[in-house]
Amino acid sequence: MLKNYLKIAWRNIMGNKLHAFIHVTGLAVAFSICIPLFLVAYFHLSFDSFHEEKSQLFRTSRFTNRVQGPEVSSQMPLPAATALVAEIPEIEAAVTVNSGMLENIAYGNKNLERLVTRTEPDFFDLFTFHILKGDRGTVLSGIHDIALSESTAHAIFGDTDPIGEELKIGKPGEEQIYSVSAVVKDAPKNSSIRFDAVARIESLNGYTENKNNWASNASNVFIKIVKNTDLRIVEDKLIPFVEKYYPEQLAQLKSEHPAAMETRELLNISLTNIENIHFSGERSAPKTLIYAIMALGAFILLIACFNFVNLNMAQSFKRSRELGVRKTLGAFKGQLFLQLWGEAFLLYFFGFSIGMVVAYRLLPSFSAQFGGGLDIAVLFHPTFLAILASVFIGVTLIAGGYPALKMANFRLVEILKGNVSTKKPGALRNTLLIGQFAISSLLICVSWIAGQQLDFLREIPIGFDKEQVVSIPVGHQEDGRKVLARMRNELADNSDVVSIAGAGGNLGRGRDRTTSTSIVGLDYDQKQISAYRLLGDFGYLKTLRIPILKGRDFDPAFGTDITNAVIVTESFARAMGEPDPVGKYLDGEEGNQIIGMVPDFNAYSPSEKTLPILIDLSADEAINYIFLKVNTDNPQLAMEQLASVWEKVAPKSLFNASFLDENLQAWYEVEQTMTRIFGLASGIAILLSCLGLFAISLLVIELRTKEIGIRKVMGASVRGIVRMISIHFLKLVFISLVIAVPLAWYAMQNWIEGYENRIAINPLTFVWVGFLVALIAVLTVSFHAIKAALANPVKSLRTE
């Protein structure tokens, strides 16, 4: 019997190839996109969930209510971890974690650049990182002990046991010797804490000077609370903790905000559970974006399922006479159900299988777009399998079972006559079509407005010249200041090089994929000023074409410029309350003196809250990047020439140069991703909706063939018939727009509110979206409508 059902199902599928093609194509496209989208969401939502005691682990963050606006930072002072354990009994343990930057690891003739994280001995007790070699209890017992990740240990030592071997870490002339005490399994890709090697916090540069300094904030602090402790108890006890250890800063903030009554309104330490850290960092993946990606996958799958159910039901009711004959010959409800469900099952299975294959091929592209970590094996997790099975069974049951049950309840005579209309004909069909176009319209609106916001951000003046500026990372095997001096000597006579300057950090993100942010707090006339701090060198402003408004630029003729001279932006001067800040001192007479003022410019993304900027030279700090302003009509040739010079001046460092305008694209990654993903989703959604509308309009017109023939005989024009059919579907599109537009406006208004610089949503956007969707619907329906209107009415009436 089952074989017979499958055979009949296959024959019916082959007898309706157009509808079968629409079914399979729609489902395959939907699954090929929604599966990678679901995997992206799962990857991001699973961050740090592998830690065994994750419910007890929290990261601390500081809230400071400064004059220029509230500031939240996860950077804490070095003594904080010890003080938290001593002051609050509910905190079982605390560790300081300084992820630092890439550092050079040397062993014999091997040199590798790896991320060295510095922390305290309890690190491996708090976090679930598996020790492969070495004793967990003594991993970091010595100040110069170091634990290597499995991949780093293999890169340095191969298959040799590394325990007890010595490594040199640091820049040439500043190396420290470490002893390998353990090998740790590589941190999972969904871990917020990254490392290639883990060393003691005491080996951090500047540790001795800052170990008791509550004003130096440069590390994260993680705490583990006692099991079953109410988090509110810990948070309440953090208030007297702040009052005890931050008295000077609190006094300063109270003078700036006399109306503030409570400590937590001025300065507060908050706790973020480790599973939420991934979404709480600066420029991290917003949780709303991840939920939006999940919603996109669900919407696309929903549209495909709507199509599948709609077309299957319409096709099944069209076969009413066939089903009536089967019922006459003794078929039971269950047999009719199995027959229709079997056809739906086969079509769904083909679409799902093709979609899985395509999704597997697309997975590397999605993984690269969203930072890696996607694994098709996740689909075989019991939760995913249960969801897929539920969708599979649910959709096929509705698509095949609903028509069968409906047919079974009709009178046999009516079925054989083909009269299977319900009291509200097409109600379910129309509802599903409205749902499809509402979702499609919503996605188009979101994509359009996200694109407008992205264009708006790109058009904001950044305040410096990014064109033809080359950025070269120095790396960790060379001294940046020496390389800069050699570079200036080599290119002194090169007319294509306008200027050269060094910098402590990059602007945007270059090919080394590294970004850094330095925020400092400064005092001036009893005012606290938070500012971005940029480390530059002579020629920094010239290279970026930033003009001097007051005072002067850094000049080698002034010996003090490398020790206590700074240049500030206009917003810094406004925060000081000084129209002309030149000559003023920050942090007292022994602090830094302002020698110049420049216009405001964006050192970081325009989408973020901006702070004033302070630029200094600080001869004691490393130059990590070299900027070159070039003047050439052939950028590729200029790069090749610079590469040959680089081999001479920095033979140990890889030439990894990029143009600054390329680097700044990193500022817009979130917006670009959102625009691209929603654009793709809206395109697929409207394609699937049109496929469904195309097939449904064909079925509706086939069912109304006799009516159309009679209308033509009675004198109806081709235009009138096309208008009659099109208006019916346009009404559905209009209803879908009435649903979609308010939802799109509300969602996007909330989204853009999170931007410092944002657009005002233009109502004409929704008008254009409505016009576009209506036009697409009319073009989709008009093919069948015109064909039916031009058909010979005599033939249609005879065949009916």
Side-chain angles (χ1 to χ4, degrees):
M1 183 69 73
L2 181 62
K3 182 180 178 182
N4 186 49
Y5 284 148
L6 291 174
K7 188 182 293 184
I8 294 171
W10 179 252
R11 285 175 180 171
N12 280 322
I13 290 171
M14 297 308 294
N16 293 280
K17 292 180 181 177
L18 176 62
H19 286 93
F21 173 77
I22 292 173
H23 278 311
V24 174
T25 301
L27 288 169
V29 170
F31 276 111
S32 66
I33 298 300
C34 74
I35 286 174
L37 290 177
F38 287 149
L39 289 177
V40 167
Y42 176 83
F43 171 69
H44 285 279
L45 292 173
S46 68
F47 254 73
D48 298 304
S49 60
F50 60 88
H51 293 292
E52 293 175 0
E53 298 174 313
K54 54 182 178 288
S55 62
Q56 297 170 252
L57 299 177
F58 296 84
R59 187 189 67 185
T60 61
S61 297
R62 286 179 304 107
F63 164 79
T64 309
N65 193 359
R66 300 193 183 278
V67 174
Q68 56 265 47
E71 175 189 310
V72 178
S73 173
S74 62
Q75 302 296 297
M76 297 289 288
L78 288 175
T82 304
L84 284 166
V85 175
E87 297 288 340
I88 303 175
E90 288 78 11
I91 295 179
E92 185 177 318
V95 293
T96 305
V97 178
N98 186 293
S99 295
M101 297 176 67
L102 294 173
E103 296 187 46
N104 185 62
I105 301 178
Y107 177 75
N109 295 324
K110 290 184 178 180
N111 287 276
L112 294 88
E113 290 188 356
R114 293 291 187 269
L115 179 65
V116 180
T117 293
R118 288 178 167 80
T119 184
E120 290 160 336
D122 290 342
F123 179 82
F124 291 104
D125 294 329
L126 262 69
F127 305 112
T128 308
F129 296 115
H130 299 289
I131 306 292
L132 302 178
K133 293 181 180 179
D135 183 358
R136 176 178 286 272
T138 60
V139 171
L140 297 176
S141 57
I143 290 179
H144 285 92
D145 282 350
I146 191 167
L148 301 179
S149 68
E150 185 178 13
S151 57
T152 302
H154 187 268
I156 298 173
F157 300 102
D159 296 326
T160 306
D161 187 355
I163 303 299
E165 296 290 339
E166 292 187 342
L167 302 172
K168 292 182 179 179
I169 299 180
K171 287 183 175 291
E174 301 176 4
E175 301 100 330
Q176 295 186 53
I177 297 176
Y178 294 80
S179 176
V180 179
S181 60
V183 176
V184 186
K185 189 175 182 180
D186 287 355
K189 292 180 179 178
N190 60 342
S191 173
S192 296
I193 301 173
R194 310 299 307 171
F195 60 83
D196 295 311
V198 181
R200 285 281 290 267
I201 192 71
E202 290 86 350
S203 64
L204 181 69
N205 286 336
Y207 175 81
T208 303
E209 296 87 345
N210 292 308
K211 65 180 180 179
N212 295 313
N213 184 359
W214 284 85
S216 175
N217 302 294
S219 303
N220 290 322
V221 171
F222 290 86
I223 66 169
K224 177 185 176 183
I225 64 173
V226 176
K227 196 170 184 178
N228 299 324
T229 296
D230 187 342
L231 188 62
R232 287 174 295 182
I233 295 175
V234 180
E235 291 174 333
D236 288 342
K237 290 187 177 183
L238 285 169
I239 297 173
F241 178 87
V242 168
E243 293 170 346
K244 179 176 180 178
Y245 289 97
Y246 292 90
E248 295 179 2
Q249 193 170 352
L250 267 178
Q252 178 67 44
L253 291 170
K254 284 180 180 177
S255 67
E256 296 172 359
H257 302 278
M261 301 297 294
E262 297 185 13
T263 297
R264 65 175 64 197
E265 296 178 37
L266 301 170
L267 180 62
N268 188 42
I269 294 178
S270 59
L271 302 177
T272 304
N273 184 262
I274 194 166
E275 290 188 279
N276 295 322
I277 288 174
H278 178 59
F279 303 104
S280 62
E282 295 176 5
R283 305 303 296 160
S284 61
K287 207 167 190 175
T288 51
L289 177 59
I290 303 305
Y291 285 138
I293 288 172
M294 286 179 64
L296 283 182
F299 284 160
I300 291 172
L301 186 58
L302 198 60
I303 288 175
C305 291
F306 281 179
N307 266 352
F308 189 76
V309 171
N310 227 351
L311 294 180
N312 252 303
M313 289 196 303
Q315 193 70 19
S316 298
F317 287 126
K318 189 182 171 187
R319 292 165 53 194
S320 60
R321 287 193 180 91
E322 174 200 335
L323 297 173
V325 170
R326 289 183 178 279
K327 195 172 180 182
T328 304
L329 295 174
F332 296 108
K333 277 186 184 181
Q335 291 172 318
L336 292 176
F337 171 82
L338 284 175
Q339 180 190 338
L340 294 177
W341 181 71
E343 292 178 25
F345 181 90
L346 280 179
L347 288 169
Y348 198 95
F349 178 76
F350 291 145
F352 175 76
S353 300
I354 295 171
M356 283 287 288
V357 172
V358 177
Y360 180 77
R361 301 297 298 271
L362 291 176
L363 205 59
S365 300
F366 273 84
S367 189
Q369 177 65 48
F370 291 96
L374 304 190
D375 186 359
I376 197 73
V378 173
L379 287 178
F380 301 101
H381 189 278
T383 304
F384 262 97
L385 288 176
I387 293 172
L388 290 174
S390 300
V391 173
F392 196 106
I393 294 170
V395 172
T396 53
L397 282 177
I398 294 171
Y402 178 79
L405 295 174
K406 204 74 176 173
M407 291 287 182
N409 292 326
F410 287 137
R411 292 172 58 195
L412 184 59
V413 175
E414 295 299 318
I415 294 176
L416 292 173
K417 288 180 179 179
N419 300 327
V420 293
S421 298
T422 60
K423 292 180 180 179
K424 294 182 179 180
L428 180 59
R429 179 195 69 211
N430 291 344
T431 301
L432 294 179
L433 280 174
I434 289 170
Q436 286 178 310
F437 276 94
I439 292 171
S440 300
S441 303
L442 174 66
L443 296 180
I444 293 173
C445 289
V446 169
S447 174
W448 201 320
I449 295 170
Q452 290 175 336
Q453 175 67 17
L454 175 59
D455 292 339
F456 177 76
L457 291 175
R458 283 175 167 164
E459 290 170 2
I460 293 174
I462 57 176
F464 59 86
D465 187 2
K466 63 180 179 179
E467 302 299 330
Q468 293 199 330
V469 177
V470 179
S471 168
I472 311 175
V474 174
H476 299 275
Q477 299 180 40
E478 297 280 1
D479 185 318
R481 294 189 180 275
K482 292 180 180 178
V483 172
L484 178 61
R486 295 181 205 136
M487 200 84 171
R488 281 178 169 144
N489 289 335
E490 286 288 331
L491 298 172
D493 299 326
N494 191 324
S495 59
D496 290 337
V497 178
V498 178
S499 61
I500 305 174
N506 207 351
L507 293 171
R509 185 168 64 229
R511 293 181 181 173
D512 61 346
R513 312 307 295 166
T514 300
T515 58
S516 62
T517 305
S518 176
I519 298 177
V520 294
L522 301 158
D523 292 325
Y524 176 76
D525 193 23
Q526 296 185 341
K527 296 174 185 174
Q528 281 204 332
I529 303 170
S530 286
Y532 291 127
R533 183 222 174 206
L534 303 181
L535 174 65
D537 190 68
F538 299 110
Y540 186 84
L541 299 179
K542 179 182 177 182
T543 302
L544 297 176
R545 301 285 178 88
I546 300 175
I548 292 286
L549 298 179
K550 294 181 183 295
R552 62 177 177 83
D553 196 354
F554 295 113
D555 191 336
F558 295 84
T560 56
D561 278 8
I562 60 174
T563 56
N564 70 337
V566 297
I567 293 175
V568 299
T569 56
E570 288 180 287
S571 58
F572 195 104
R574 286 195 296 271
M576 294 171 63
E578 297 283 354
D580 185 358
V582 176
K584 302 296 190 294
Y585 285 87
L586 301 172
D587 293 332
E589 293 293 328
E590 297 181 359
N592 294 317
Q593 185 182 30
I594 299 173
I595 63 168
M597 184 176 75
V598 297
D600 288 326
F601 64 94
N602 288 310
Y604 302 98
S605 172
S607 63
E608 298 176 354
K609 181 182 177 181
T610 57
L611 290 176
I613 295 174
L614 175 146
I615 307 169
D616 67 351
L617 299 189
S618 186
D620 296 332
E621 296 186 51
I623 292 295
N624 298 311
Y625 293 87
I626 295 176
F627 295 159
L628 300 97
K629 177 71 176 179
V630 296
N631 183 18
T632 177
D633 295 328
N634 191 338
Q636 184 62 37
L637 179 61
M639 277 292 194
E640 291 173 1
Q641 292 173 346
L642 290 175
S644 62
V645 172
W646 190 258
E647 289 181 5
K648 299 177 185 177
V649 301
K652 296 180 182 178
S653 184
L654 177 69
F655 183 72
N656 216 2
S658 57
F659 282 99
L660 212 55
D661 57 347
E662 298 171 359
N663 297 356
L664 299 188
Q665 292 304 310
W667 286 355
Y668 315 108
E669 278 185 348
V670 171
E671 293 75 25
Q672 285 176 329
T673 298
M674 186 170 180
T675 303
R676 192 179 300 119
I677 291 297
F678 274 89
L680 173 65
S682 59
I684 291 171
I686 201 71
L687 171 65
L688 294 176
S689 297
C690 287
L691 277 175
L693 184 60
F694 181 84
I696 287 294
S697 62
L698 174 60
L699 289 171
V700 169
I701 290 170
E702 285 179 355
L703 292 173
R704 299 177 67 178
T705 301
K706 186 176 181 180
E707 175 195 341
I708 293 171
I710 293 172
R711 286 179 180 274
K712 287 200 69 176
V713 170
M714 298 299 291
S717 66
V718 172
R719 180 183 298 177
I721 292 172
V722 171
R723 184 170 60 250
M724 174 193 71
I725 296 171
S726 300
I727 286 176
H728 169 71
F729 290 105
L730 278 176
K731 288 178 181 177
L732 303 181
V733 172
F734 177 76
I735 295 171
S736 71
L737 287 169
V738 170
I739 296 170
V741 167
L743 291 175
W745 179 86
Y746 178 78
M748 296 312 290
Q749 187 64 40
N750 284 339
W751 178 66
I752 64 174
E753 287 293 333
Y755 286 87
E756 185 77 8
N757 300 294
R758 54 183 177 266
I759 61 170
I761 297 178
N762 189 343
L764 286 177
T765 299
F766 302 113
V767 175
W768 282 111
V769 169
F771 175 77
L772 177 65
V773 173
L775 179 63
I776 292 171
V778 168
L779 291 176
T780 303
V781 173
S782 62
F783 174 78
H784 294 314
I786 294 171
K787 185 178 178 182
L790 293 174
N792 187 341
V794 176
K795 183 179 178 182
S796 63
L797 291 171
R798 183 176 65 246
T799 55
E800 283 290 308

